[in-house]
CSV table of all heavy atoms in Angstrom, one decimal:
chain,number,residue,atom,x,y,z
A,2,SER,N,-3.0,15.3,-3.9
A,2,SER,CA,-3.3,14.3,-3.0
A,2,SER,C,-4.7,14.5,-2.2
A,2,SER,O,-5.0,15.6,-1.9
A,2,SER,CB,-2.2,14.0,-2.0
A,2,SER,OG,-1.1,13.7,-2.6
A,3,CYS,N,-5.4,13.3,-2.0
A,3,CYS,CA,-6.6,13.4,-1.3
A,3,CYS,C,-6.7,12.3,-0.4
A,3,CYS,O,-6.6,11.1,-0.8
A,3,CYS,CB,-7.8,13.4,-2.3
A,3,CYS,SG,-9.4,13.3,-1.4
A,4,VAL,N,-6.8,12.4,0.9
A,4,VAL,CA,-6.9,11.4,1.9
A,4,VAL,C,-8.3,11.4,2.6
A,4,VAL,O,-8.7,12.5,3.0
A,4,VAL,CB,-5.8,11.5,2.9
A,4,VAL,CG1,-5.9,10.4,4.0
A,4,VAL,CG2,-4.4,11.5,2.3
A,5,ALA,N,-8.8,10.3,2.6
A,5,ALA,CA,-10.3,10.2,3.2
A,5,ALA,C,-10.2,9.6,4.5
A,5,ALA,O,-9.5,8.6,4.8
A,5,ALA,CB,-11.1,9.5,2.2
A,6,SER,N,-11.0,10.1,5.4
A,6,SER,CA,-11.3,9.5,6.7
A,6,SER,C,-12.7,8.9,6.7
A,6,SER,O,-13.6,9.4,6.0
A,6,SER,CB,-11.2,10.4,7.9
A,6,SER,OG,-12.0,11.5,7.7
A,7,GLY,N,-12.9,7.7,7.3
A,7,GLY,CA,-14.2,7.1,7.2
A,7,GLY,C,-14.1,5.8,6.4
A,7,GLY,O,-13.0,5.3,6.0
A,8,THR,N,-15.2,5.2,6.0
A,8,THR,CA,-15.3,4.0,5.3
A,8,THR,C,-15.3,4.3,3.8
A,8,THR,O,-16.3,4.9,3.3
A,8,THR,CB,-16.5,3.2,5.8
A,8,THR,OG1,-16.5,2.9,7.1
A,8,THR,CG2,-16.6,1.9,5.0
A,9,ILE,N,-14.4,3.8,3.1
A,9,ILE,CA,-14.2,4.0,1.6
A,9,ILE,C,-14.2,2.6,1.0
A,9,ILE,O,-13.4,1.7,1.4
A,9,ILE,CB,-13.0,4.7,1.3
A,9,ILE,CG1,-13.0,6.2,2.0
A,9,ILE,CG2,-12.8,4.9,-0.2
A,9,ILE,CD1,-14.1,7.0,1.3
A,10,SER,N,-14.9,2.4,-0.1
A,10,SER,CA,-15.0,1.2,-0.8
A,10,SER,C,-14.4,1.4,-2.2
A,10,SER,O,-14.8,2.4,-2.9
A,10,SER,CB,-16.4,0.7,-1.0
A,10,SER,OG,-16.4,-0.4,-1.9
A,11,SER,N,-13.5,0.6,-2.7
A,11,SER,CA,-13.0,0.7,-4.0
A,11,SER,C,-14.0,0.4,-5.0
A,11,SER,O,-13.8,0.8,-6.2
A,11,SER,CB,-11.7,-0.2,-4.2
A,11,SER,OG,-12.2,-1.6,-4.1
A,12,PHE,N,-15.1,-0.1,-4.8
A,12,PHE,CA,-16.2,-0.4,-5.7
A,12,PHE,C,-16.7,0.9,-6.2
A,12,PHE,O,-17.1,1.0,-7.4
A,12,PHE,CB,-17.2,-1.2,-5.1
A,12,PHE,CG,-18.4,-1.5,-6.0
A,12,PHE,CD1,-18.4,-2.5,-6.9
A,12,PHE,CD2,-19.6,-0.7,-5.9
A,12,PHE,CE1,-19.5,-2.8,-7.8
A,12,PHE,CE2,-20.7,-1.0,-6.7
A,12,PHE,CZ,-20.6,-2.0,-7.7
A,13,TYR,N,-16.7,2.0,-5.4
A,13,TYR,CA,-17.3,3.2,-5.8
A,13,TYR,C,-16.2,4.2,-6.2
A,13,TYR,O,-15.1,4.1,-5.7
A,13,TYR,CB,-18.1,3.8,-4.6
A,13,TYR,CG,-19.3,3.0,-4.2
A,13,TYR,CD1,-19.3,2.1,-3.1
A,13,TYR,CD2,-20.5,3.0,-4.9
A,13,TYR,CE1,-20.3,1.4,-2.7
A,13,TYR,CE2,-21.6,2.3,-4.6
A,13,TYR,CZ,-21.5,1.4,-3.5
A,13,TYR,OH,-22.7,0.7,-3.2
A,14,PRO,N,-16.6,5.1,-7.1
A,14,PRO,CA,-15.5,5.9,-7.7
A,14,PRO,C,-14.9,7.0,-6.7
A,14,PRO,O,-15.7,7.6,-5.9
A,14,PRO,CB,-16.1,6.5,-8.8
A,14,PRO,CG,-17.6,6.5,-8.5
A,14,PRO,CD,-17.9,5.3,-7.7
A,15,MET,N,-13.7,7.2,-6.8
A,15,MET,CA,-13.2,8.5,-6.4
A,15,MET,C,-12.7,9.3,-7.6
A,15,MET,O,-12.2,8.6,-8.6
A,15,MET,CB,-12.0,8.3,-5.3
A,15,MET,CG,-12.3,7.7,-4.0
A,15,MET,SD,-11.0,7.6,-2.8
A,15,MET,CE,-11.1,9.3,-2.3
A,16,GLY,N,-12.7,10.6,-7.5
A,16,GLY,CA,-12.3,11.3,-8.7
A,16,GLY,C,-11.8,12.7,-8.3
A,16,GLY,O,-11.9,13.2,-7.1
A,17,TRP,N,-11.4,13.5,-9.3
A,17,TRP,CA,-11.1,14.8,-9.2
A,17,TRP,C,-11.9,15.6,-10.3
A,17,TRP,O,-12.1,15.3,-11.3
A,17,TRP,CB,-9.7,15.0,-9.6
A,17,TRP,CG,-8.7,14.4,-8.6
A,17,TRP,CD1,-8.1,13.2,-8.6
A,17,TRP,CD2,-8.3,15.1,-7.4
A,17,TRP,NE1,-7.3,13.0,-7.5
A,17,TRP,CE2,-7.3,14.2,-6.7
A,17,TRP,CE3,-8.4,16.4,-6.9
A,17,TRP,CZ2,-6.8,14.6,-5.6
A,17,TRP,CZ3,-7.8,16.6,-5.7
A,17,TRP,CH2,-6.9,15.7,-5.1
A,18,TYR,N,-12.5,16.7,-9.7
A,18,TYR,CA,-13.2,17.7,-10.4
A,18,TYR,C,-12.5,19.0,-10.4
A,18,TYR,O,-11.6,19.2,-9.5
A,18,TYR,CB,-14.6,17.9,-9.9
A,18,TYR,CG,-15.6,16.8,-10.1
A,18,TYR,CD1,-15.4,15.6,-9.5
A,18,TYR,CD2,-16.7,16.9,-11.0
A,18,TYR,CE1,-16.4,14.6,-9.7
A,18,TYR,CE2,-17.6,16.0,-11.1
A,18,TYR,CZ,-17.4,14.8,-10.5
A,18,TYR,OH,-18.3,13.7,-10.7
A,19,ARG,N,-12.7,19.9,-11.3
A,19,ARG,CA,-12.1,21.2,-11.1
A,19,ARG,C,-13.2,22.2,-11.6
A,19,ARG,O,-14.1,21.9,-12.5
A,19,ARG,CB,-10.8,21.3,-12.1
A,19,ARG,CG,-11.1,21.1,-13.6
A,19,ARG,CD,-9.7,21.2,-14.3
A,19,ARG,NE,-9.9,21.2,-15.7
A,19,ARG,CZ,-8.9,21.0,-16.6
A,19,ARG,NH1,-7.7,20.9,-16.2
A,19,ARG,NH2,-9.2,21.0,-18.0
A,20,GLN,N,-12.9,23.5,-11.1
A,20,GLN,CA,-13.8,24.6,-11.4
A,20,GLN,C,-12.9,25.7,-11.8
A,20,GLN,O,-12.4,26.4,-11.0
A,20,GLN,CB,-14.8,24.9,-10.2
A,20,GLN,CG,-15.7,26.0,-10.6
A,20,GLN,CD,-16.8,26.2,-9.6
A,20,GLN,OE1,-16.7,25.5,-8.5
A,20,GLN,NE2,-17.9,26.7,-10.0
A,21,PRO,N,-12.8,26.0,-13.2
A,21,PRO,CA,-12.0,27.1,-13.6
A,21,PRO,C,-12.8,28.4,-13.3
A,21,PRO,O,-14.1,28.5,-13.0
A,21,PRO,CB,-11.9,27.0,-15.1
A,21,PRO,CG,-12.2,25.5,-15.4
A,21,PRO,CD,-13.2,25.1,-14.3
A,22,PRO,N,-12.1,29.5,-13.2
A,22,PRO,CA,-12.9,30.8,-12.9
A,22,PRO,C,-13.8,31.1,-14.0
A,22,PRO,O,-13.6,31.1,-15.1
A,22,PRO,CB,-11.7,31.9,-12.9
A,22,PRO,CG,-10.5,31.2,-13.7
A,22,PRO,CD,-10.6,29.7,-13.4
A,23,GLY,N,-15.0,31.4,-13.4
A,23,GLY,CA,-16.2,31.8,-14.3
A,23,GLY,C,-16.8,30.6,-14.9
A,23,GLY,O,-17.8,30.8,-15.7
A,24,LYS,N,-16.5,29.5,-14.6
A,24,LYS,CA,-17.0,28.2,-15.2
A,24,LYS,C,-17.6,27.3,-14.3
A,24,LYS,O,-17.4,27.4,-13.0
A,24,LYS,CB,-16.0,27.5,-16.2
A,24,LYS,CG,-15.5,28.3,-17.3
A,24,LYS,CD,-14.4,27.6,-18.1
A,24,LYS,CE,-13.9,28.3,-19.3
A,24,LYS,NZ,-12.9,27.6,-20.1
A,25,GLU,N,-18.4,26.3,-14.6
A,25,GLU,CA,-19.0,25.3,-13.8
A,25,GLU,C,-17.9,24.1,-13.5
A,25,GLU,O,-16.9,24.0,-14.3
A,25,GLU,CB,-20.2,24.7,-14.5
A,25,GLU,CG,-21.3,25.7,-14.7
A,25,GLU,CD,-22.6,25.1,-15.1
A,25,GLU,OE1,-22.6,23.9,-15.6
A,25,GLU,OE2,-23.6,25.7,-15.1
A,26,ARG,N,-18.1,23.5,-12.4
A,26,ARG,CA,-17.3,22.4,-12.0
A,26,ARG,C,-17.5,21.2,-13.1
A,26,ARG,O,-18.5,20.9,-13.6
A,26,ARG,CB,-17.8,21.8,-10.7
A,26,ARG,CG,-16.7,21.0,-10.1
A,26,ARG,CD,-17.2,20.6,-8.6
A,26,ARG,NE,-17.1,21.8,-7.8
A,26,ARG,CZ,-17.4,21.8,-6.4
A,26,ARG,NH1,-17.6,20.6,-5.8
A,26,ARG,NH2,-17.3,22.9,-5.8
A,27,GLU,N,-16.3,20.6,-13.4
A,27,GLU,CA,-16.3,19.6,-14.4
A,27,GLU,C,-15.5,18.4,-13.9
A,27,GLU,O,-14.5,18.5,-13.1
A,27,GLU,CB,-15.7,20.2,-15.7
A,27,GLU,CG,-14.2,20.5,-15.6
A,27,GLU,CD,-13.6,21.2,-16.9
A,27,GLU,OE1,-14.4,21.1,-17.9
A,27,GLU,OE2,-12.5,21.6,-16.9
A,28,LEU,N,-15.8,17.3,-14.3
A,28,LEU,CA,-15.1,16.1,-14.0
A,28,LEU,C,-13.7,16.0,-14.8
A,28,LEU,O,-13.7,16.1,-16.0
A,28,LEU,CB,-15.8,14.8,-14.3
A,28,LEU,CG,-15.1,13.4,-14.0
A,28,LEU,CD1,-14.8,13.3,-12.4
A,28,LEU,CD2,-16.1,12.3,-14.4
A,29,VAL,N,-12.6,15.7,-14.1
A,29,VAL,CA,-11.3,15.6,-14.7
A,29,VAL,C,-10.9,14.2,-14.9
A,29,VAL,O,-10.5,13.8,-16.0
A,29,VAL,CB,-10.3,16.4,-13.9
A,29,VAL,CG1,-8.9,16.2,-14.6
A,29,VAL,CG2,-10.6,17.9,-13.7
A,30,ALA,N,-11.1,13.5,-13.8
A,30,ALA,CA,-10.6,12.0,-13.8
A,30,ALA,C,-11.3,11.3,-12.6
A,30,ALA,O,-11.6,11.9,-11.6
A,30,ALA,CB,-9.1,12.0,-13.7
A,31,SER,N,-11.5,10.1,-12.8
A,31,SER,CA,-12.1,9.2,-11.8
A,31,SER,C,-11.6,7.8,-12.0
A,31,SER,O,-11.0,7.4,-12.9
A,31,SER,CB,-13.6,9.1,-11.8
A,31,SER,OG,-14.0,8.5,-13.0
A,32,VAL,N,-11.7,7.0,-10.9
A,32,VAL,CA,-11.2,5.6,-10.8
A,32,VAL,C,-12.1,4.9,-9.9
A,32,VAL,O,-12.4,5.3,-8.9
A,32,VAL,CB,-9.7,5.5,-10.4
A,32,VAL,CG1,-9.4,6.1,-9.0
A,32,VAL,CG2,-9.3,4.2,-10.4
A,33,SER,N,-12.5,3.7,-10.3
A,33,SER,CA,-13.2,2.7,-9.4
A,33,SER,C,-12.9,1.4,-9.8
A,33,SER,O,-12.5,1.1,-11.1
A,33,SER,CB,-14.7,3.0,-9.5
A,33,SER,OG,-15.2,2.6,-10.7
A,34,SER,N,-13.1,0.4,-9.0
A,34,SER,CA,-12.9,-1.0,-9.3
A,34,SER,C,-13.8,-1.5,-10.3
A,34,SER,O,-13.6,-2.5,-11.1
A,34,SER,CB,-12.8,-1.9,-8.1
A,34,SER,OG,-14.1,-1.9,-7.4
A,35,LEU,N,-15.0,-0.9,-10.4
A,35,LEU,CA,-16.1,-1.4,-11.3
A,35,LEU,C,-15.8,-0.9,-12.7
A,35,LEU,O,-16.0,-1.7,-13.7
A,35,LEU,CB,-17.4,-0.7,-10.8
A,35,LEU,CG,-18.6,-1.1,-11.7
A,35,LEU,CD1,-18.8,-2.6,-11.6
A,35,LEU,CD2,-19.8,-0.4,-11.2
A,36,ARG,N,-15.4,0.3,-12.8
A,36,ARG,CA,-15.3,0.9,-14.3
A,36,ARG,C,-14.0,1.3,-14.6
A,36,ARG,O,-13.8,1.8,-15.8
A,36,ARG,CB,-16.3,2.1,-14.4
A,36,ARG,CG,-17.7,1.6,-14.1
A,36,ARG,CD,-18.7,2.8,-14.5
A,36,ARG,NE,-20.1,2.3,-14.2
A,36,ARG,CZ,-20.8,1.7,-15.0
A,36,ARG,NH1,-20.3,1.2,-16.1
A,36,ARG,NH2,-22.1,1.4,-14.6
A,37,GLY,N,-12.9,1.1,-13.8
A,37,GLY,CA,-11.5,1.6,-14.2
A,37,GLY,C,-11.4,3.1,-14.1
A,37,GLY,O,-12.0,3.7,-13.3
A,38,THR,N,-10.6,3.6,-14.9
A,38,THR,CA,-10.3,5.0,-15.1
A,38,THR,C,-11.1,5.7,-16.2
A,38,THR,O,-11.4,5.2,-17.2
A,38,THR,CB,-8.8,5.3,-15.2
A,38,THR,OG1,-8.4,4.6,-16.4
A,38,THR,CG2,-8.1,4.7,-14.1
A,39,TYR,N,-11.2,7.0,-15.9
A,39,TYR,CA,-11.8,7.9,-16.9
A,39,TYR,C,-11.1,9.2,-16.8
A,39,TYR,O,-10.6,9.7,-15.8
A,39,TYR,CB,-13.2,8.2,-16.4
A,39,TYR,CG,-13.8,9.5,-17.2
A,39,TYR,CD1,-14.4,9.3,-18.5
A,39,TYR,CD2,-13.7,10.7,-16.5
A,39,TYR,CE1,-14.8,10.4,-19.2
A,39,TYR,CE2,-14.3,11.9,-17.3
A,39,TYR,CZ,-14.7,11.6,-18.6
A,39,TYR,OH,-15.2,12.8,-19.2
A,40,TYR,N,-10.9,9.7,-18.0
A,40,TYR,CA,-10.2,11.1,-18.1
A,40,TYR,C,-11.0,12.0,-19.2
A,40,TYR,O,-11.4,11.5,-20.1
A,40,TYR,CB,-8.8,10.9,-18.6
A,40,TYR,CG,-7.8,10.2,-17.7
A,40,TYR,CD1,-7.6,8.9,-17.9
A,40,TYR,CD2,-7.2,10.9,-16.7
A,40,TYR,CE1,-6.7,8.1,-17.2
A,40,TYR,CE2,-6.3,10.2,-15.8
A,40,TYR,CZ,-6.1,8.8,-16.1
A,40,TYR,OH,-5.2,8.2,-15.2
A,41,ALA,N,-11.1,13.3,-18.7
A,41,ALA,CA,-11.7,14.1,-19.7
A,41,ALA,C,-10.7,14.3,-20.9
A,41,ALA,O,-9.5,14.2,-20.7
A,41,ALA,CB,-11.8,15.6,-19.0
A,42,ASP,N,-11.2,14.6,-22.0
A,42,ASP,CA,-10.4,14.7,-23.2
A,42,ASP,C,-9.4,15.7,-23.1
A,42,ASP,O,-8.2,15.6,-23.7
A,42,ASP,CB,-11.4,15.1,-24.5
A,42,ASP,CG,-12.2,13.9,-24.9
A,42,ASP,OD1,-11.9,12.7,-24.6
A,42,ASP,OD2,-13.1,14.2,-25.6
A,43,SER,N,-9.7,16.7,-22.3
A,43,SER,CA,-8.7,17.9,-22.3
A,43,SER,C,-7.4,17.5,-21.5
A,43,SER,O,-6.5,18.2,-21.5
A,43,SER,CB,-9.4,19.1,-21.5
A,43,SER,OG,-9.9,18.8,-20.3
A,44,VAL,N,-7.5,16.5,-20.7
A,44,VAL,CA,-6.2,16.1,-20.0
A,44,VAL,C,-5.7,14.8,-20.3
A,44,VAL,O,-4.6,14.4,-19.7
A,44,VAL,CB,-6.7,16.1,-18.4
A,44,VAL,CG1,-7.2,17.4,-18.0
A,44,VAL,CG2,-7.6,14.9,-18.0
A,45,LYS,N,-6.2,14.1,-21.2
A,45,LYS,CA,-5.7,12.8,-21.6
A,45,LYS,C,-4.3,12.8,-22.1
A,45,LYS,O,-3.9,13.8,-22.8
A,45,LYS,CB,-6.6,12.1,-22.7
A,45,LYS,CG,-7.9,11.6,-22.3
A,45,LYS,CD,-8.7,11.0,-23.4
A,45,LYS,CE,-10.0,10.5,-22.9
A,45,LYS,NZ,-10.9,9.8,-24.0
A,46,GLY,N,-3.4,12.0,-21.6
A,46,GLY,CA,-2.1,11.9,-21.9
A,46,GLY,C,-1.2,12.9,-21.0
A,46,GLY,O,0.0,12.8,-21.1
């Protein structure tokens, strides 16, 4: 769960990134009213 304080617009994306040990941060999933949802191939389904 992620709860934001302040002004948030659904037009802009919110998402989840992850950083495995020894690796760079990568996008896992995102959602916005403009573009819908996105999932990395590794987590689809």
Side-chain angles (χ1 to χ4, degrees):
S2 299
C3 173
V4 179
S6 61
T8 301
I9 298 292
S10 172
S11 64
F12 179 82
Y13 296 103
M15 295 188 76
W17 291 93
Y18 289 71
R19 68 185 182 188
Q20 187 166 15
K24 299 181 179 180
E25 295 185 349
R26 190 173 300 185
E27 63 182 358
L28 177 63
V29 176
S31 66
V32 58
S33 70
S34 61
L35 178 64
R36 300 190 182 277
T38 57
Y39 164 85
Y40 295 96
D42 287 343
S43 59
V44 307
K45 285 181 179 177

